[in-house]
Amino acid sequence: MNQYSEGIVGQPRSFFPSQAQTQNDKTISRLIYRGLFKYDIYGTLVPDLADTWEISSDGITYTIKLKDNQYWSDGTKITSDDLIYSAFKIQNLSGVATDKVDSLTVRYTLPNKFSPFLSLLTVGVMKSNSEENDTPLQPISSGPFRIVRVQKSGPVVSSVTLVHNNSAENIRRLNFRYYANQDELTTAAKLGEIEGFISTKKEDLANFSERRFPLEGVYYALFFNLRNPKLKDQLLRQKLQKVLPLHDLTIDLGIPVEGAISRSIFTDKALNFDAYDKLFSEQIPDLTVTLTVPDIPEHVSLANQIKMFWKDKLGINVLINKVDPSKINDQVIKSRNFEVLLYGQEVSLDPDRYINWHSTQADYPGLNLSAFSQVRADRALEEGRNEIDNDKRVVHYNEFQKVMVDQVPAIFLYHPYIKYYVSKYIDGIGEKYTSTLADRFLDFDNWHRIKTN
């Protein structure tokens, strides 16, 4: 049976969709579980376990029917009882009432209108009572893969092996091997123990190719703290943006961000998301700003380049405040203790950006780091999550994007590249919309081993 082995740093804890926390655990969870809906290789929401669905005229009630004859890995049928159990266990669905209509149909009743609701149903459906009855690392599953082996050395997991349910797959067995750190991972690649791995640094390995893919569910930006009097000046923020050659600054770090709703069918392509003007310069006297940055080499390097442009083009004195990445949440994010912050945020494939930019989300745990407050933007965000019709949602989100481009509460920088090293003997890995790390396997059906003599 053809096998592909991938190396991972860390230890697995649980593959239950309700418990998976790390990106690695979420990746395996995605492979072994199916949701009612899923995102395809184009980033489009499509049905998976769902057969039909109806939304009430008030946008509160969603009635969803499962496809018939869908089965768990133990041979039992997937039913509405499993949907109700999953809704009870999964945090994102808390507050949603569930009612069983029949053995295949469930009615979800929301406390308020929330148009991104179907995107929440991409999370894996769990078999009823699975948390109570199953092993977290070898649960009963429903996805294209099932876990057939968990190998341990004492309490330490050394590998987890998955097998594809379709015997005709090019590569049917997927083996994840666990290592203590990145150096061990690199050594394993040199020894031929693994054929693929993600690295945080540049690797130069014989028989491995570097495949970079952008995490489009993450963007890095310069967030202006609008609580600070000197950053309240809209014209100043526009000038700070105008002198930064974003393409040159970030070309090795990732792909450009197209505003707050980036690279989506909802992105307003008529807007100019890169305001760089190489001819613009102006001396702004007696201004000092502090740029806070996680103390990671690539972020510090970018911050120093930004400092240079702001100094040379605007005469601004920039102080760089490097913060231990493990402490930045407690020391900076919770207290909003910064002037300008270079930081990354996760966003969903749905265009809803309420928690990121609505004025009510300015205080922790809200994610409106800039404390941005603008009536037109707030209204657009409110209407966007209340409107079910996508054509009408586009109108609201276009308005929101126009305000963001005009007001510049942040300078959007890049979606970061992930360095994925894969054996030169594995082929068929294509272009796809990669929102999360798990999306690297979206086209795994096409992967195949190159035959050698």
Side-chain angles (χ1 to χ4, degrees), residues 134-231:
D134 293 352
T135 303
L137 296 184
Q138 203 164 355
I140 293 169
S141 55
S142 61
F145 287 89
R146 68 183 188 279
I147 295 175
V148 294
R149 186 183 185 191
V150 177
Q151 188 171 357
K152 293 185 176 182
S153 177
V156 178
V157 175
S158 57
S159 69
V160 174
T161 303
L162 285 63
V163 169
H164 202 287
N165 297 322
N166 183 359
S167 60
E169 283 295 300
N170 295 316
I171 301 175
R172 194 178 175 198
R173 187 184 293 267
L174 187 51
N175 186 39
F176 292 93
R177 299 175 66 94
Y178 292 85
Y179 298 90
N181 53 55
Q182 192 75 43
D183 289 338
E184 284 192 15
L185 197 65
T186 304
T187 301
K190 293 177 180 178
L191 295 174
E193 293 179 4
I194 56 176
E195 298 168 288
F197 65 100
I198 290 171
S199 181
T200 55
K201 60 183 180 179
K202 179 75 175 178
E203 305 280 0
D204 185 14
L205 297 170
N207 297 322
F208 277 81
S209 299
E210 180 185 292
R211 297 176 179 269
R212 296 192 303 181
F213 61 88
L215 279 187
E216 299 192 44
V218 174
Y219 64 67
Y220 281 89
L222 294 171
F223 295 91
F224 296 116
N225 194 337
L226 305 185
R227 304 166 186 83
N228 189 305
K230 62 186 169 187
L231 293 169

Side-chain angles (χ1 to χ4, degrees), residues 102-113:
D102 57 40
S103 63
L104 293 176
T105 310
V106 167
R107 182 181 300 113
Y108 298 88
T109 304
L110 282 57
N112 303 290
K113 290 178 72 172

Side-chain angles (χ1 to χ4, degrees), residues 365-383:
L367 299 178
N368 182 357
L369 303 181
S370 296
F372 180 56
S373 179
Q374 215 282 342
V375 173
R376 286 167 56 207
D378 276 357
R379 185 179 299 116
L381 289 170
E382 292 160 8
E383 294 297 330

Side-chain angles (χ1 to χ4, degrees), residues 170-401:
N170 295 316
I171 301 175
R172 194 178 175 198
R173 187 184 293 267
L174 187 51
N175 186 39
F176 292 93
R177 299 175 66 94
Y178 292 85
Y179 298 90
N181 53 55
Q182 192 75 43
D183 289 338
E184 284 192 15
L185 197 65
T186 304
T187 301
K190 293 177 180 178
L191 295 174
E193 293 179 4
I194 56 176
E195 298 168 288
F197 65 100
I198 290 171
S199 181
T200 55
K201 60 183 180 179
K202 179 75 175 178
E203 305 280 0
D204 185 14
L205 297 170
N207 297 322
F208 277 81
S209 299
E210 180 185 292
R211 297 176 179 269
R212 296 192 303 181
F213 61 88
L215 279 187
E216 299 192 44
V218 174
Y219 64 67
Y220 281 89
L222 294 171
F223 295 91
F224 296 116
N225 194 337
L226 305 185
R227 304 166 186 83
N228 189 305
K230 62 186 169 187
L231 293 169
K232 283 183 175 293
D233 183 355
Q234 174 188 354
L235 292 178
L236 170 63
R237 301 194 302 271
Q238 290 174 343
K239 292 172 186 176
L240 290 168
Q241 180 184 41
K242 190 180 291 189
V243 299
L244 293 181
L246 297 182
H247 178 269
D248 295 340
L249 286 172
T250 63
I251 189 169
D252 291 327
L253 299 173
I255 61 174
V257 182
E258 297 176 334
I261 305 176
S262 180
R263 299 182 176 274
S264 161
I265 60 170
F266 291 91
T267 303
D268 187 350
K269 301 295 186 180
L271 296 174
N272 179 23
F273 298 112
D274 186 351
Y276 176 56
D277 181 352
K278 66 180 180 179
L279 299 178
F280 178 78
S281 66
E282 178 180 312
Q283 291 302 300
I284 302 175
D286 304 322
L287 178 61
T288 297
V289 297
T290 299
L291 174 54
T292 298
V293 57
D295 193 5
I296 298 170
E298 65 181 28
H299 295 336
V300 174
S301 174
L302 178 58
N304 279 314
Q305 293 177 73
I306 291 168
K307 172 182 177 178
M308 179 188 70
F309 280 101
W310 283 351
K311 176 66 175 176
D312 290 350
K313 292 288 190 175
L314 298 173
I316 292 173
N317 184 35
V318 180
L319 306 176
I320 294 180
N321 174 34
K322 295 182 286 187
V323 180
D324 183 335
S326 66
K327 298 178 180 178
I328 198 163
N329 190 60
D330 288 335
Q331 295 183 3
V332 177
I333 302 300
K334 286 184 178 180
S335 59
R336 308 306 204 230
N337 181 28
F338 67 91
E339 290 185 354
V340 184
L341 174 66
L342 198 167
Y343 194 64
Q345 285 191 333
E346 291 187 14
V347 289
S348 68
L349 281 169
D350 187 272
D352 178 43
R353 297 292 181 266
Y354 186 96
I355 194 170
N356 302 89
W357 292 107
H358 195 274
S359 62
T360 61
Q361 305 300 306
D363 295 325
Y364 187 84
L367 299 178
N368 182 357
L369 303 181
S370 296
F372 180 56
S373 179
Q374 215 282 342
V375 173
R376 286 167 56 207
D378 276 357
R379 185 179 299 116
L381 289 170
E382 292 160 8
E383 294 297 330
R385 64 166 27 189
N386 284 334
E387 180 56 64
I388 303 300
D389 184 276
N390 270 347
D391 290 336
K392 294 179 181 178
R393 292 187 85 197
V394 166
V395 174
H396 297 305
Y397 288 124
N398 280 357
E399 177 67 14
F400 164 67
Q401 291 171 86

